[in-house]
Amino acid sequence: MHPQASRPWHREPWPWILMSGPAAVIVAGFFTMALAYRSEDGLVADDYYKRGLAINQVLSRDERARRLDLHASASLSGMRARVLLLGAAETLPELRLRLVHPTRSGRDQLVVLRAVAPATYEGTFAPLEGESRRLVLEDPQGTWRLTGTWISRRETATLGAAP
């Protein structure tokens, strides 16, 4: 019998097969780390204590809208918002409509609505990427607010004072 000459380790398949598992884990770890740095966690608030204290102010704005008997209908199509405000004693020159993303605060939008007719307001916004939004309609001074939910499959949403 002739002894076979051994090949160098890098010519053998087994070391490469055994190293491929840990190498794949390292690559996946760097990919996960890049995703974590690029995307913001919109669910965590830095000032949670101040937000908790401010809840009474928000509740008083809902109560004021209820006392004024305000209701609204919002229509979102394309990049245009149209709001019909019912129950208002006077037509305000403008309103604010916030389009709040359910989980990512970075995707929230503020739309300034201008009066185009009595009790009718219009404004434009950036594309919504087909996701549902929570709608918050406020007067410019922030004395009252109406809330509702816009579902991407429908064009209109009803807004009222929170119970």
Side-chain angles (χ1 to χ4, degrees):
M1 284 204 190
H2 296 288
Q4 244 183 357
S6 63
R7 297 189 297 184
W9 71 269
H10 57 84
R11 300 272 180 157
E12 295 291 333
W14 287 110
W16 295 106
I17 292 171
L18 293 173
M19 286 188 288
S20 66
V25 170
I26 291 171
V27 170
F30 280 114
F31 179 73
T32 304
M33 186 173 60
L35 282 177
Y37 282 121
R38 279 192 318 180
S39 64
E40 170 202 359
D41 185 8
L43 297 175
V44 178
D46 292 336
D47 58 346
Y48 63 90
Y49 183 73
K50 287 181 183 178
R51 288 187 184 194
L53 293 176
I55 192 69
N56 289 333
Q57 293 174 343
V58 172
L59 294 175
S60 67
R61 294 184 340 176
D62 290 341
E63 180 59 34
R64 179 161 166 78
R66 199 175 300 108
R67 279 195 317 259
L68 293 171
D69 196 30
L70 294 176
H71 297 83
S73 173
S75 173
L76 303 176
S77 63
M79 294 188 308
R80 181 166 286 295
R82 184 181 185 101
V83 172
L84 178 62
L85 181 63
L86 305 171
E90 63 184 72
T91 299
L92 299 169
E94 70 180 26
L95 296 175
R96 294 183 303 195
L97 178 67
R98 285 188 293 136
L99 308 173
V100 181
H101 190 274
T103 59
R104 300 280 183 189
S105 62
R107 293 187 183 175
D108 293 353
Q109 294 187 42
L110 175 65
V111 182
V112 176
L113 303 170
R114 308 246 184 252
V116 294
T120 305
Y121 301 85
E122 288 187 355
T124 58
F125 55 88
L128 295 178
E129 303 170 14
E131 300 168 333
S132 300
R133 294 287 194 276
R134 180 168 177 256
L135 305 178
V136 180
L137 182 67
E138 304 168 315
D139 65 323
Q141 292 79 26
T143 59
W144 56 262
R145 80 170 191 166
L146 300 174
T147 60
T149 302
W150 174 75
I151 299 172
S152 62
R153 296 179 300 277
R154 295 185 301 196
E155 255 187 44
T156 61
T158 303
L159 290 88

